[in-house]
Amino acid sequence: MGLTGFADLPLHEGHVPPWLFSRMIKLTSLIIRLMHDEYGVKGAIRLFSNPIFFQSFNNIIGMDWDSSGSTTVTTAALKEALGSLNIGIKVVGGKGEYALRVPDELRELEKRFNINSEELITASRLVAKVDNVALQDGHRLYHHSMIVGEDGTWAVIQQGLNPETKYARRYHWWMETSFINNPHEGIVGVKSNYALNTVSSVSEEARSTIVDIVNQDSVKVIRDLAKVKSILRGYGNKSILSYISDANYEPPSYYNPRLNIIVNRGLSISEEALRNARGTDSFRNLLLVKGMGPSTMLALALIAQLIYEVPVDWTDPVNLDPRRFAFALGGKDGSPYPISKEIYDTVIDLLNRVVDNINKDSGLKPYLKHIAKVAKKLNLPVDLVKPTY
């Protein structure tokens, strides 16, 4: 995917009213049945791994185009709808404590699907570790959903919240990922000035260096961290960008001016992580090491860059801002216009008839594709789509 912009996803309090959520489940169920008929299990799941499709789907069922709830509510409706459908696709996990149930739900799902639950559990852990540890962008994960097919196909949609800005960020994953080298299908959120991004192609050499570092004697690693702190100590509360403006400091050739980390946040390395990491042969396995948290990874990245002069990517990878599909049925909070129960029910009734006749009427699929082409040409007044609060 190419860069398409970014979307602001403010934290919204409150809940979707029951009258709307029940309709969201019905509409989701109908659309999923059409998707499954057209694309099969793998194709349908693949679509949800695409952030543009997911955002469009969210808008179509009536969620706010820019709300943090566009992730949690949409995946909840998807989970409910798939729970009553027998099409070989299920959703595990969810918001808060439901995210912690993923391992148990996957083991239970293995009784019905031809899947390896332990492999999927490892994939789930890796995805969470990447977006919490390897990619540090100020957002703490609080939602983790995995869409699983009966053939082992999977996609992950998870979301984090920045406690200071109160904005959310959504991360999309597809099973055909390396986990550690440009792994995302897309990221939706507010683009910031920096992020520690050890999973970009720019950080490839740094990942190898970090693995080498943790395999050194722990005394040397702690000594290198002390050197990093010494380098930073003279700049107090300022950022590393201060180096560039200091007449007495010549930044090394690898220095990236986008690097903008507040250095007094308390750099530390977990001794438990260092012990457990000895013998680790890859960055992927390093992420799964017990005790390998954000602070330790940040310290190791700074050691790699400031001591061993290996470039680390500090560029925020967020890349999406879609709005046009908010015009389908309106938005929960009235943008671009309030949702009408009558219109919503009419759409559900119409789709019910489409689903019932899609395989009986040979002219129906071509007609729907014609309507889709016409819709693409619509010049919708996107200025009517206002941020909701």
Side-chain angles (χ1 to χ4, degrees):
M1 287 185 58
L3 182 66
T4 57
F6 65 89
D8 296 353
L9 300 176
L11 175 65
H12 284 192
E13 303 294 342
H15 302 279
V16 176
W19 68 263
L20 177 55
F21 189 63
S22 63
R23 286 170 170 82
M24 286 179 172
I25 295 172
K26 291 179 182 178
L27 185 54
T28 295
S29 178
L30 290 167
I31 296 174
I32 285 293
R33 288 170 65 188
L34 288 170
M35 290 171 57
H36 178 263
D37 182 70
E38 182 71 14
Y39 302 108
V41 170
K42 186 173 183 177
I45 296 176
R46 179 66 189 265
L47 282 172
F48 281 106
S49 74
N50 184 313
I52 294 177
F53 178 86
F54 184 92
Q55 187 74 22
S56 305
F57 189 93
N58 155 80
N59 295 148
I60 284 174
I61 66 174
M63 270 305 294
D64 313 317
W65 69 275
D66 66 340
S67 167
S68 61
S70 64
T71 304
T72 57
V73 173
T74 301
T75 52
L78 186 61
K79 187 173 186 177
E80 287 285 333
L82 287 169
S84 58
L85 291 177
N86 186 26
I87 60 173
I89 305 174
K90 299 297 178 184
V91 175
V92 298
K95 180 180 178 181
E97 63 180 34
Y98 293 97
L100 303 178
R101 300 178 185 176
V102 167
D104 291 336
E105 289 186 81
L106 286 173
R107 292 187 180 103
E108 187 64 28
L109 193 58
E110 189 176 22
K111 299 175 182 178
R112 303 165 56 190
F113 284 2
N114 182 28
I115 61 174
N116 186 320
S117 62
E118 295 307 316
E119 286 185 1
L120 290 176
I121 290 169
T122 298
S124 171
R125 286 185 60 209
L126 265 171
V127 166
K129 271 299 191 81
V130 167
D131 289 338
N132 252 345
V133 178
L135 174 61
Q136 297 182 37
D137 53 18
H139 294 75
R140 300 173 185 169
L141 294 183
Y142 68 95
H143 175 275
H144 177 94
S145 288
M146 180 177 259
I147 308 174
V148 182
E150 60 186 355
D151 58 355
T153 298
W154 64 266
V156 168
I157 300 164
Q158 57 187 12
Q159 183 159 287
L161 178 69
N162 186 314
E164 296 179 0
T165 65
K166 303 298 182 184
Y167 276 86
R169 173 169 290 195
R170 186 168 68 242
Y171 310 84
H172 287 258
W173 289 74
W174 171 239
M175 59 183 291
E176 296 172 3
T177 175
S178 71
F179 288 104
I180 61 168
N181 192 39
N182 299 324
H184 301 91
E185 288 293 293
I187 301 176
V188 186
V190 182
K191 196 171 185 69
S192 60
N193 293 328
Y194 72 90
L196 170 60
N197 187 2
T198 62
V199 290
S200 83
S201 55
V202 174
S203 298
E204 183 173 4
E205 185 181 356
R207 290 193 293 272
S208 296
T209 300
I210 288 172
V211 172
D212 290 341
I213 290 171
V214 297
N215 278 294
Q216 294 176 347
D217 187 280
S218 60
V219 174
K220 186 178 188 311
V221 179
I222 299 301
R223 188 165 62 241
D224 284 344
L225 178 60
K227 291 179 182 177
V228 168
K229 291 181 177 180
S230 178
I231 292 173
L232 303 178
R233 191 173 297 121
Y235 296 89
N237 293 334
K238 300 177 183 178
S239 71
I240 298 177
L241 285 175
S242 303
Y243 288 176
I244 293 179
S245 60
D246 191 315
N248 297 319
Y249 181 82
E250 294 184 4
S253 59
Y254 62 84
Y255 185 78
N256 185 337
R258 287 177 176 166
L259 180 56
N260 187 20
I261 287 184
I262 302 302
V263 301
N264 66 343
R265 57 187 285 183
L267 290 174
S268 63
I269 290 180
S270 163
E271 293 186 9
E272 176 191 28
L274 284 184
R275 287 195 303 270
N276 295 333
R278 292 299 297 273
T280 300
D281 60 353
S282 69
F283 190 81
R284 180 185 186 278
N285 290 335
L286 179 64
L287 290 175
L288 296 173
V289 165
K290 184 178 180 181
M292 183 55 62
S295 180
T296 297
M297 183 58 69
L298 173 61
L300 293 171
L302 286 171
I303 290 173
Q305 179 152 340
L306 297 177
I307 304 300
Y308 295 95
E309 302 191 3
V310 177
V312 176
D313 193 354
W314 303 93
T315 306
D316 190 348
V318 73
N319 65 349
L320 181 64
D321 178 25
R323 296 178 292 176
R324 64 184 288 119
F325 291 92
F327 286 90
L329 289 166
K332 175 176 67 67
D333 287 354
S335 179
Y337 46 77
I339 293 174
S340 163
K341 293 182 182 178
E342 291 74 21
I343 293 176
Y344 210 121
D345 288 341
T346 299
V347 171
I348 289 175
D349 180 63
L350 176 62
L351 276 182
N352 255 320
R353 282 181 280 165
V354 169
V355 169
D356 289 340
N357 293 282
I358 194 73
N359 292 318
K360 301 175 184 177
D361 187 342
S362 61
L364 192 52
K365 283 187 180 180
Y367 180 64
L368 291 175
K369 291 179 180 178
H370 168 71
I371 292 177
K373 290 180 180 179
V374 172
K376 288 181 180 179
K377 298 178 181 179
L378 292 177
N379 186 21
L380 297 171
V382 293
D383 58 309
L384 294 179
V385 187
K386 305 297 183 183
T388 54
Y389 301 98

